Amino acid sequence: MDSSSVFANIVRAPEDAILGVTVAYNKDSSPDKLNLGVGAYRTEEGKPLVLKVVRRAEQMLVNDNSRVKEYLPIVGLADFNKLSAKLIFGADSPAIQENRVTTVQCLSGTGSLRVGAEFLARHYHQLTIYIPNPTWGNHTKIFGLAGLSVKAYRYYDPATRGLDFQGLLEDLGAAPSGSIVLLHACAHNPTGVDPTIEQWEQIRQLMRSKGLLPFFDSAYQGFASGNLDADAGSVRMFVADGGECLAAQSYAKNMGLYGERVGALSIVCKTADVASRVESQLKLVIRPMYSNPPIHGASIVATILKDRDMYNEWTVELKAMADRIISMRQQLFDSLSARGTPGDWSHIIKQIGMFTFTGLNTKQVAFMTKEYHIYMTSDGRISMAGLSSRTVPHLTEAIHAAVTRVD
């Protein structure tokens, strides 16, 4: 330790649980290595994908000599905000028509959640947020650092590898009136387990009767089922009853704009006047945080969403990504069944979205990494997008060995 440094007493922080998987993977020299930790889409060849429609939109932007690099307003690109609200709430949403929605462009899903959390910490009367157990690892930190008290509600049932619906209802039913509740709009991360439409309706009735405030995290619209409207169904159900809610959107997955950090936070209010005042306060959260958002990624999204042909082209490419992931689920399930791997693996095809909660324990995960060079988070979550027809047999062998040799 260098005592001459003013930072000599700083201890080394642990690697991020999710990003650290990729760091370990990159250091591995095995030709058989497989990264199933990263939450990013990969092609059948294991390569990152830039959508054709995104390339086309970028080309149009580059060729437009009238475009300049001036700052955006604090709330971001107006077209992007308008079109993002329309995408998640529906073109005919009464909330949009009555100007009861305020939307601000943020730094992808993480930034949208953070801005929303800080706004609530400053202006909402209840400072407790309930998040599902388990949830995306970053949720706890985002809300906690913004000044909210974070509590969990039951969500996943390891016994059925499905939803613990009874536990969820009991925990939300016991939450103090007015509490904030984080809900994954679709393709729950990390479990891939979503409520049914009927269950969503029961959740909505319970939350509205107790005055609980819904905060939706929508990271996978269109990417889960391949249908943009279906994947926004839970959010629209809560907006249709006239109540208030928050929604954080990310375009990382559904447009493949990971590194562009494109997202939006929408707050649905009771009246247009309230929405306008809420927006004025959101500006005061954003201005000292990052002043205003970047222009390029939001311009790509706006270009695609406002052009009917490009929008249709996007939906076709989006469905192809969703279908490849659904196909990987089926192939893995079929492969494990054919191998005679002990246990019921039907949850792999029942779960939805990018991730599958395999049910493998920490020791089994460590064994698969050491013996088979397969990398995933220690909770047994795998990214189905990281799989291909070529690598399914290798993963099958590793899972089979893990469940038959490691307790």
Side-chain angles (χ1 to χ4, degrees):
M1 191 180 281
D2 182 2
S3 57
S4 65
S5 169
V6 293
F7 303 115
N9 62 340
I10 289 179
V11 296
R12 184 177 302 283
E15 287 279 9
D16 180 273
I18 297 168
L19 302 181
V21 173
T22 301
V23 173
Y25 167 83
N26 288 337
K27 288 179 183 167
D28 191 330
S29 57
S30 169
D32 297 326
K33 68 179 182 177
L34 181 57
N35 187 359
L36 300 178
V38 66
Y41 183 79
R42 293 289 178 264
T43 62
E44 180 67 18
E45 296 70 45
K47 298 278 189 283
L49 176 71
V50 179
L51 301 188
K52 289 191 184 80
V53 73
V54 165
R55 291 255 190 242
R56 192 147 78 87
E58 281 192 305
Q59 206 54 60
M60 287 167 65
L61 293 168
V62 168
N63 293 339
D64 180 355
N65 289 330
S66 69
R67 286 179 56 77
V68 293
K69 302 291 186 185
E70 292 290 294
Y71 291 124
L72 283 178
I74 296 171
V75 296
L77 190 66
D79 267 0
F80 168 83
N81 290 339
K82 201 169 124 191
L83 292 159
S84 292
K86 198 169 137 183
L87 186 72
I88 193 164
F89 300 127
D92 53 356
S93 171
I96 293 176
Q97 287 164 1
E98 293 158 16
N99 294 317
R100 294 191 286 110
V101 182
T102 178
T103 304
V104 294
Q105 180 193 333
C106 300
L107 309 184
S108 204
T110 304
S112 304
L113 290 163
R114 179 61 200 255
V115 168
E118 193 146 319
F119 167 79
L120 290 170
R122 289 191 199 178
H123 300 286
Y124 188 59
H125 67 279
Q126 260 282 12
L127 296 185
T128 304
I129 184 163
Y130 284 79
I131 63 175
N133 180 24
T135 192
W136 178 47
N138 218 7
H139 278 147
T140 308
K141 297 167 199 157
I142 290 167
F143 295 117
L145 287 169
L148 296 175
S149 162
V150 182
K151 293 192 174 170
Y153 62 89
R154 280 171 284 174
Y155 189 86
Y156 178 74
D157 181 357
T160 63
R161 292 176 190 171
L163 184 67
D164 181 359
F165 190 52
Q166 217 39 55
L168 179 152
L169 292 178
E170 282 172 21
D171 288 351
L172 293 188
S177 175
S179 300
I180 309 153
V181 179
L182 180 82
L183 301 163
H184 294 231
C186 67
H188 181 274
N189 176 7
T191 68
V193 173
D194 285 357
T196 63
I197 294 286
E198 294 74 26
Q199 287 172 330
W200 270 121
E201 178 53 25
Q202 276 184 260
I203 294 167
R204 186 195 68 78
Q205 288 177 14
L206 171 67
M207 286 182 62
R208 291 310 194 196
S209 71
K210 292 212 51 163
L212 303 174
L213 181 65
F215 193 157
F216 282 97
D217 185 355
S218 176
Y220 302 98
Q221 188 183 349
F223 194 90
S225 68
N227 183 312
L228 286 155
D229 292 321
D231 288 351
S234 59
V235 181
R236 292 177 189 181
M237 195 182 278
F238 277 79
V239 176
D241 66 15
E244 295 175 302
C245 67
L246 293 84
Q249 282 168 276
S250 164
Y251 288 94
K253 311 296 190 296
N254 60 15
M255 277 199 194
L257 294 172
Y258 303 95
E260 298 290 358
R261 313 308 293 139
V262 196
L265 171 73
S266 289
I267 303 184
V268 179
C269 306
K270 278 283 192 193
T271 67
D273 177 53
V274 173
S276 160
R277 283 183 278 138
V278 164
E279 183 170 302
S280 72
Q281 290 295 341
L282 284 171
K283 288 180 187 174
L284 297 189
V285 172
I286 293 167
R287 178 73 172 130
M289 200 185 277
Y290 54 85
S291 202
N292 50 66
I295 197 167
H296 185 66
S299 300
I300 294 170
V301 174
T303 301
I304 293 167
L305 293 185
K306 71 182 167 198
D307 181 289
R308 184 177 289 278
D309 289 342
M310 292 180 91
Y311 179 88
N312 290 338
E313 191 182 330
W314 172 49
T315 60
V316 171
E317 290 194 78
L318 180 53
K319 184 157 185 356
M321 288 194 288
D323 285 351
R324 193 184 93 71
I325 289 176
I326 291 164
S327 149
M328 284 302 107
R329 289 183 179 281
Q330 193 65 52
Q331 285 183 44
L332 179 58
F333 172 73
D334 291 346
S335 181
L336 288 165
S337 302
R339 183 71 177 79
T341 303
D344 175 7
W345 298 96
S346 61
H347 58 284
I348 291 172
I349 45 179
K350 285 178 190 159
Q351 293 170 4
I352 190 169
M354 185 176 272
F355 300 109
T356 282
F357 226 39
T358 57
L360 296 163
N361 63 39
T362 310
K363 281 186 187 165
Q364 290 167 332
V365 170
F367 166 84
M368 286 168 63
T369 302
K370 184 169 180 285
E371 301 295 329
Y372 289 86
H373 305 274
I374 292 173
Y375 292 82
M376 64 180 99
T377 51
S378 60
D379 58 7
R381 182 197 84 165
I382 62 173
S383 171
M384 298 308 295
L387 261 186
S388 68
S389 304
R390 186 178 55 79
T391 54
V392 163
H394 180 52
L395 178 61
T396 302
E397 278 309 308
I399 291 175
H400 187 88
V403 298
T404 52
R405 290 163 55 187
V406 183
D407 288 336

